[in-house]
Amino acid sequence: MIELENIEGIGPKTKELIEKLDIHSGEELIMHYPFRYDVLKRSDISILNDKDKIVIDGIIEGQPTIIYINKSLKKIIFRVNTKKNILNVTLYNRVYLFQDLKPGKEVTILGRFHKLKNTIVASDIRFGLLPNDAKIEPIYNTTNGLTSKSLSKYIASALEEDYQIDSLVPRYLEEKYNLMAKKEALKNVHIPEDIPSLKKARQRIKYEELFMYMLKVNYLREKIITDTNAITRKIDKSKIDSFISELPFKLTTDQDKVVNEIIIDLESNKRMNRLLQGDVGSGKTIVAFIAIYANYLSKYQSALMAPTEILAKQHYEDALKIFNKCKINIALLTSSTNTKEKKDIYTKLQNGEIDLIIGTQSLIQDKVKFKNLGLVITDEQHRFGVNQRNIFKNKGVTPDVLSMSATPIPRTYALTIYGDTDISSIKTKPVGRKEVITYFKREKDITEVLEMMKKELDEKHQIYVVAPMIDDDEESDKESVIDLEDKMNKAFNKIAKIGVIHGKLDAKEKNKIMNDFENNKINILISTTVIEVGVNVPNASMIVVFDANMFGLSTLHQLRGRVGRGNIQSYCILIAENYYERLKFMESTNDGFEVSEYDFKERGEGDLFGTMQSGELELKMANIKKDFKMMERARDDAKEFIGTLLTFDTNPEYEPYFKELKRIENLD
Ligand code: ADP
Ligand code: MG
């Protein structure tokens, strides 16, 4: 392993910055891949369309000016002479560049060309002479104080070292697909020779990621099948039935079906590893509680883990209500539980006094030890990292695992992605819910949208307005946020209070705005980020998404789930400049499964922040949607290879694979 400080150019200060990116060695640095590339090929303005990407050289004309838009937003404007044209340039939030922007200076400007305004909204500016031919520049995610360019330099130095990164694709598969060798691929990913080499390099890395992922899936499957510590239970069904009959509502057909599947799993001598998927609001929680009740009847402890404190607390309160007639002892453990209570909980978990523990990540700490944990349920959790048998410290038995997800994916895809898991789906929603009505509107029809908004405001309902996330390099989008606030103010400032929330605000400001919205002190909430999961404002009856084409369909579907939470008719309005079939499609269904089926089929689309990100599967470069075909190949290859691997497990050649596979068993 190469220490960071042994890489040329990295001193103690830089090391600290790099470590902020969770990079701790030269190898990890090399595996920090660019998230995109800039191709520095000069544009021909005469053939550019409005808002096309542009790269152009020129000389600064006249003195640039800084304009303060508001507390968190400033811009520099200036003019540039390209010999053929004089163009305006706008540069957001890079005031530090101001001193370098002197009249007469040669610059290369990267950005988007707003043809009608004859303006470039710049994402970056380069000084000095640059090579004239196309150059491919890697762009990295980085942290304050460390530029993408310097990171690129350190990675180049690391690549010169004798680093230890194993190839995790067997030779015969490399040959089968004519894959680029690992080291060559790593080099080309960071320092591309040309576009074809870059493509081949990325193909290699992606295949390897998918292959290893699939190998892990198969490995876990083996482990589950051969687990001799799994629990066998005898469950008294009449008790379950009477518990269900006392619920305040009747289970839907799908809930009923899923409960049966789970009971069968719990009784079987095979360890349960089941994924329960269903849209937001489809009623997964009650299914979890029934499973917990069954587990309690067979005298085992249960753990329910939620991704956020708000959700954990919500589950805890629900559990107290649902189980109020049983003797189940329930506790809540989160990071805000005080030390004394925590200690008490640890003791009671260990001596078996607590039957059900509900909490956040806090549940998977060394200190948390169970007497006889029989069931682990994770709500909206990352897959690897919790689905391991060793992560919950337990005596003797391996607990059954149920994972719940509100990002439904169609069965065919789920079988590949979660190959080691049994899948249950809730497709029908409880009766009596009002469906959200979705409209797709073109930007030119904005007045129609404003009228619809006004109608909701007149009814004293609240509205979410969403625009794509602020992306530091696509500064053109920022303008649209400011434009939006302007637009909304012009249209509604007499009748509505408008709040804006975006990534640049600090947590305190964000909280205040969210609270004001929850308490109806803000009527229209403009948000540049995905509205946080768990936000529940039943009085919000409309969500308006601008530039909706920038979002993946699953994301839009999740956003749509922010409304329709009370008993008022709710609406979702998707707006885009041009016509998009996929947005039109959103009008036709409210079914998360159908949405994701369509989304998968249409893999080519950019998904700025898909709810089911590849990161969840530990994929850095591969994308489960776009690269699904490759994933299917990797699945078949891995299935074939796992047999060889397990048969010849002492062969030193296979050591690197086992190193990776063991990692998923011992994440604690
Ligand atoms: P999710 O699947 O998103 O976790 P929840 O479990 O939170 O959904 O359920 C959403 C709401 O629907 C809850 O208030 C729950 O009590 C209610 N609910 C669940 N099942 C039914 C049912 N069969 N009939 C009526 N209401 C139900
Ligand atoms: Mg839920």
Side-chain angles (χ1 to χ4, degrees):
M1 205 185 66
I2 303 168
E3 305 286 339
L4 284 177
E5 55 264 42
N6 292 342
I7 293 167
E8 198 180 313
I10 301 183
K13 229 173 150 184
T14 310
K15 181 179 171 224
E16 221 167 87
L17 288 171
I18 292 176
E19 279 173 345
K20 274 197 195 158
L21 298 167
D22 203 21
I23 294 171
H24 305 278
S25 68
E27 283 78 3
E28 284 177 8
L29 187 61
I30 290 171
M31 291 206 278
H32 185 66
Y33 305 132
F35 74 93
R36 68 177 174 84
Y37 298 83
D38 275 342
V39 180
L40 294 185
K41 188 167 185 292
R42 303 306 190 276
S43 319
D44 176 358
I45 283 213
S46 61
I47 58 167
L48 287 188
N49 291 317
D50 191 38
K51 296 195 184 155
D52 273 353
K53 280 197 171 171
I54 184 170
V55 178
I56 204 149
D57 300 313
I59 292 171
I60 297 177
E61 280 221 339
Q63 177 59 44
T65 333
I66 301 185
I67 294 176
Y68 293 84
I69 301 168
N70 62 34
K71 212 169 56 184
S72 59
L73 198 60
K74 306 166 192 70
K75 63 179 180 182
I76 303 176
I77 56 169
F78 60 95
R79 274 178 317 181
V80 67
N81 188 338
T82 70
K83 288 186 191 141
K84 285 192 196 137
N85 312 74
I86 294 193
L87 303 170
N88 303 309
V89 180
T90 306
L91 180 67
Y92 285 96
N93 274 359
R94 305 276 180 91
V95 176
Y96 57 87
L97 284 179
F98 185 71
Q99 56 196 13
D100 293 324
L101 294 168
K102 292 274 177 315
K105 201 148 182 179
E106 278 191 331
V107 287
T108 302
I109 294 162
L110 287 71
R112 270 188 205 278
F113 184 48
H114 292 239
K115 196 168 187 137
L116 305 173
K117 297 185 202 156
N118 195 38
T119 295
I120 302 172
V121 175
S123 57
D124 207 354
I125 293 190
R126 310 291 160 84
F127 299 96
L129 287 178
L130 289 169
N132 239 333
D133 46 336
K135 179 172 173 279
I136 311 165
E137 229 180 53
I139 309 293
Y140 297 92
N141 275 323
T142 180
T143 180
N144 256 343
L146 188 67
T147 62
S148 171
K149 200 176 262 169
S150 42
L151 205 51
S152 163
K153 208 176 66 198
Y154 303 133
I155 293 172
S157 306
L159 282 164
E160 295 294 313
E161 303 283 332
D162 186 21
Y163 62 85
Q164 263 311 308
I165 299 179
D166 294 311
S167 161
L168 292 167
V169 177
R171 187 67 53 78
Y172 74 91
L173 288 173
E174 284 187 337
E175 278 164 17
K176 178 174 169 188
Y177 297 117
N178 187 19
L179 295 176
M180 190 181 261
K182 179 80 176 267
K183 287 213 159 176
E184 193 188 343
L186 288 171
K187 179 141 197 205
N188 266 288
V189 158
H190 294 292
I191 313 166
E193 271 168 48
D194 48 31
I195 289 182
S197 318
L198 176 59
K199 278 200 176 135
K200 275 211 85 168
R202 285 175 54 82
Q203 189 208 17
R204 151 80 206 208
I205 306 283
K206 283 190 205 176
Y207 176 80
E208 180 169 317
E209 284 182 356
L210 293 168
F211 177 73
M212 268 324 281
Y213 171 76
M214 280 301 159
L215 209 59
K216 286 177 194 170
V217 163
N218 279 291
Y219 184 71
L220 285 179
R221 161 127 253 158
E222 282 300 310
K223 286 275 160 203
I224 292 164
I225 292 170
T226 54
D227 192 338
T228 51
N229 293 326
I231 303 169
T232 314
R233 302 174 176 78
K234 186 83 202 82
I235 294 168
D236 184 347
K237 307 253 196 347
S238 65
K239 282 194 177 151
I240 305 280
D241 286 342
S242 74
F243 179 77
I244 292 175
S245 68
E246 280 179 27
L247 293 175
F249 43 73
K250 200 173 165 309
L251 292 188
T252 61
T253 327
D254 282 355
Q255 283 173 323
D256 224 24
K257 184 190 75 192
V258 172
V259 165
N260 278 328
E261 289 169 346
I262 292 172
I263 300 287
I264 291 171
D265 280 357
L266 290 176
E267 290 197 313
S268 118
N269 63 355
K270 208 187 88 188
R271 179 161 75 94
M272 171 164 80
N273 186 31
R274 185 170 286 281
L275 172 72
L276 168 55
Q277 40 174 10
D279 254 341
V280 178
S282 60
K284 296 184 291 292
T285 319
I286 192 65
V287 172
F289 287 157
I290 296 168
I292 288 167
Y293 184 65
N295 183 52
Y296 163 76
L297 289 180
S298 44
K299 309 229 160 25
Y300 286 99
Q301 292 169 296
S302 305
L304 171 57
M305 191 157 93
T308 64
E309 261 194 72
I310 298 175
L311 275 171
K313 199 146 166 269
Q314 209 172 301
H315 283 329
Y316 176 68
E317 277 156 15
D318 287 348
L320 289 179
K321 272 185 228 145
I322 293 283
F323 294 122
N324 72 346
K325 291 206 192 101
C326 326
K327 288 200 191 84
I328 297 189
N329 209 342
I330 310 168
L332 175 69
L333 179 69
T334 67
S335 48
S336 44
T337 310
N338 73 41
T339 323
K340 197 166 151 265
E341 276 175 274
K342 269 186 193 158
K343 270 207 177 125
D344 188 45
I345 289 175
Y346 297 151
T347 316
K348 286 181 173 164
L349 280 174
Q350 205 157 4
N351 67 22
E353 272 178 76
I354 292 174
D355 305 299
L356 166 60
I357 180 84
I358 298 175
T360 49
Q361 296 276 357
S362 312
L363 293 183
I364 42 173
Q365 297 168 41
D366 275 348
K367 279 175 262 173
V368 184
K369 295 196 180 80
F370 293 85
K371 182 172 182 218
N372 57 357
L373 180 64
L375 176 64
V376 173
I377 301 181
T378 61
D379 192 10
E380 290 299 316
Q381 271 301 332
H382 297 286
R383 211 177 102 77
F384 282 118
V386 285
N387 242 358
Q388 287 78 42
R389 42 193 240 137
N390 295 341
I391 211 151
F392 281 92
K393 292 268 183 321
N394 205 15
K395 289 207 192 95
V397 296
T398 345
D400 289 302
V401 176
L402 177 68
S403 330
M404 305 196 285
S405 168
T407 313
I409 51 174
R411 209 176 167 74
T412 40
Y413 303 109
L415 282 176
T416 294
I417 296 164
Y418 300 121
D420 59 328
T421 313
D422 295 312
I423 297 157
S424 295
S425 305
I426 304 182
K427 294 197 169 175
T428 47
K429 286 200 183 155
V431 286
R433 295 276 167 77
K434 280 213 174 68
E435 296 251 303
V436 177
I437 299 174
T438 302
Y439 295 110
F440 168 44
K441 294 280 172 195
R442 306 277 303 274
E443 245 161 54
K444 62 181 171 51
D445 300 322
I446 186 78
T447 27
E448 239 178 278
V449 176
L450 294 175
E451 270 159 27
M452 287 194 267
M453 291 176 72
K454 177 156 189 308
K455 230 176 112 207
E456 292 309 304
L457 292 170
D458 286 344
E459 304 262 342
K460 302 281 171 249
H461 298 158
Q462 289 160 277
I463 302 177
Y464 294 101
V465 173
V466 179
M469 183 156 48
I470 293 183
D471 174 351
D472 270 335
D473 289 288
E474 299 283 346
E475 312 277 351
S476 57
D477 296 328
K478 263 184 200 158
E479 205 171 40
S480 78
V481 175
I482 303 303
D483 281 355
L484 267 184
E485 194 180 358
D486 259 14
K487 255 186 209 146
M488 293 301 140
N489 266 316
K490 268 198 198 114
F492 301 121
N493 76 349
K494 292 218 176 68
I495 59 165
K497 237 189 132 303
I498 295 159
V500 182
I501 199 162
H502 59 77
K504 294 261 153 83
L505 297 178
D506 63 39
K508 224 166 140 191
E509 289 171 299
K510 272 191 213 161
N511 263 337
K512 178 166 179 344
I513 293 174
M514 275 324 299
N515 276 335
D516 283 354
F517 190 64
E518 273 170 47
N519 300 324
N520 204 353
K521 285 187 199 151
I522 288 175
N523 313 101
I524 300 177
L525 181 67
I526 304 175
S527 146
T528 59
T529 50
V530 177
I531 301 155
E532 293 202 34
V533 190
V535 175
N536 191 13
V537 183
N539 189 47
S541 63
M542 183 175 275
I543 181 161
V544 183
V545 186
F546 282 83
D547 291 322
N549 53 301
M550 303 285 283
F551 296 86
L553 292 192
S554 333
T555 306
L556 290 175
H557 183 66
Q558 294 284 338
L559 284 174
R560 180 160 69 177
R562 293 300 111 208
V563 297
R565 299 181 150 246
N567 45 17
I568 46 182
Q569 179 58 56
S570 298
Y571 304 89
C572 168
I573 301 176
L574 306 175
I575 303 175
E577 193 177 346
N578 303 315
Y579 180 85
Y580 288 91
E581 190 57 42
R582 53 201 283 277
L583 297 181
K584 192 72 189 164
F585 166 80
M586 291 296 281
E587 288 185 349
S588 70
T589 182
N590 258 310
D591 180 332
F593 284 95
E594 282 181 21
V595 169
S596 75
E597 171 97 51
Y598 189 95
D599 209 9
F600 261 91
K601 282 208 176 120
E602 212 219 10
R603 267 160 253 150
E605 271 305 324
D607 190 351
L608 266 188
F609 28 154
T611 39
M612 184 160 168
Q613 278 155 351
S614 301
E616 208 169 301
L617 311 179
E618 288 204 327
L619 303 174
K620 289 177 163 179
M621 198 182 286
N623 178 300
I624 51 167
K625 282 182 201 157
K626 288 186 197 157
D627 303 316
F628 195 75
K629 278 228 161 67
M630 193 191 265
M631 189 164 195
E632 286 178 313
R633 259 180 265 137
R635 174 197 61 200
D636 297 342
D637 297 335
K639 229 181 234 163
E640 205 179 280
F641 185 62
I642 190 85
T644 318
L645 199 60
L646 293 176
T647 315
F648 300 102
D649 58 354
T650 50
N651 186 337
E653 194 186 319
Y654 295 148
E655 211 174 288
Y657 299 96
F658 279 107
K659 221 164 73 192
E660 280 296 300
L661 294 175
K662 293 281 188 261
R663 224 162 50 83
I664 55 173
E665 283 185 280
N666 306 308
L667 268 180
D668 49 347

